[in-house]
Each structure stands twice: as structure tokens, then as C-alpha cells.
Amino acid sequence: RTCRMTRHAILDSNSHRDLRVRADAGAELGDGVMATLTVPNEFRSVQGHFPILFRRETGRDEFTALALFGFETAENLFLDGNRWDARYRPWSLAIQPFLIGRPASGEGPGQVHIDLDHPRIATDGEGVGLFDAEGGATPYLEDIAERLGDLDDGYRASGAFFDALREHDLLE
């Protein structure tokens, strides 16, 4: 497994006006993973397509939930070449190469960040545009921002969910 460098930046319509993102599927685009993070407010959509695995890191008390795609590292049984073979794509995978960022203080509203070194960044002029000619967000970017917000809200609320599961001895 190779480690990939990242270069995060706050997304803005001036610096990234012509940036395009590949929205298709492919192992080389980051879809070749055996699992991805999921959050409780997404479970209803995820469970109809993928098993949900609850994992606790060794030596830690916190749990995370993962949508399981395969059984070995880099195995995704729902990826058929360059086609996603399921009717749903978990948010944490679907939002790539975007991330939620916060101001340096850690407080305040989330900001849309982008990993400029992610393989989904289109370098050949293909892909989906993020901004229109006037610098406004395209429907694609608006959808990504909504998913980022949902994922962030779900992640922040997941601690209480896992606490309730532990309180009732539903996870061990």
C-alpha cells in the first residue's frame, strides 16, 4: 500500500474557478478501498446496500462505523472496473476530494476544503466543474457541500449514539 501526499486548501471561486473533478468511479480515483466511514444519520441508506461494521481502535474506547465493501485491503466488491455497482455511495467516499475544515480556532462554521493532490482532480480538462462563469457554485458543488454538512453533523452526533449502544450493552 502506498502513502499519498495531500495538499489541502480552502475552496474558493477565484483560485479554483477552472478546477474540475472526476466524479466517475475507479480504483485509481480512490474507490479501491475495503471500507469507508459511515455515520448514524446515514445508516438507513447504507444498510440497504452494505454491511455496517462497528470497530474500536485497540487501546481506545471510541467506536467508529464503517460501510464494508470487501474483506481484504483495497478490495471493493462493489467496484466493477470504472462502474460503481450499487445504487448508493456512502458520503465519506462520494465527497472525495472534498473535506470539512474549520477556522484555526476550531470554532465556527465548517468550510469546504479540497485536496488538490487527490487523484479525482481532473488535469485533462474533463470532469465536473465546481463554479459557473459568474463564480457561483454549480449544482454538483452545492450537492457536495450538503453531503459534507450531513457527514460532519453525523460525525459530531455519533459519540452520543455509540454511548447509548454501550450503555445498553449492544456493542462489545
Side-chain angles (χ1 to χ4, degrees):
R1 187 174 139 175
T2 60
C3 186
R4 185 180 67 74
M5 297 298 292
T6 61
R7 186 168 45 109
H8 298 181
I10 297 173
L11 188 67
D12 77 80
S13 60
N14 292 325
S15 303
H16 305 115
R17 179 167 301 226
D18 298 324
L19 194 65
R20 300 180 80 75
V21 172
R22 291 188 56 189
D24 49 329
E28 72 284 359
L29 299 175
D31 294 326
V33 294
M34 86 176 189
T36 194
L37 176 78
T38 186
V39 291
N41 57 337
E42 183 185 30
F43 285 175
R44 182 171 292 213
S45 298
V46 168
Q47 62 85 30
H49 303 279
F50 317 103
I52 298 174
L53 173 72
F54 297 98
R55 180 178 79 179
R56 182 173 59 206
E57 296 293 331
T58 305
R60 298 186 64 191
D61 204 30
E62 296 88 28
F63 282 90
T64 56
L66 302 170
L68 189 63
F69 305 139
F71 302 102
E72 298 176 12
T73 301
E75 178 183 51
N76 184 338
L77 299 172
F78 297 91
L79 185 62
D80 183 12
N82 63 352
R83 188 173 67 83
W84 186 257
D85 195 21
R87 286 179 297 187
Y88 186 76
R89 209 169 157 164
W91 294 333
S92 63
L93 200 60
I95 53 103
Q96 292 181 6
F98 302 94
L99 315 101
I100 281 280
R102 299 255 178 246
S105 67
E107 297 300 317
Q111 304 163 323
V112 177
H113 286 217
I114 188 163
D115 176 0
L116 295 169
D117 288 336
H118 195 280
R120 288 198 174 280
I121 300 296
T123 56
D124 54 10
E126 293 185 9
V128 181
L130 306 180
F131 298 100
D132 60 25
E134 290 79 40
T138 61
Y140 171 76
L141 182 56
E142 288 175 354
D143 184 53
I144 289 291
E146 184 175 337
R147 287 186 194 180
L148 278 168
D150 292 341
L151 184 60
D152 188 49
D153 291 345
Y155 185 76
R156 289 172 176 275
S158 64
F161 174 80
F162 288 118
D163 288 346
L165 292 180
R166 274 193 299 274
E167 179 181 329
H168 297 289
D169 293 324
L170 295 174
L171 290 176
E172 51 180 67

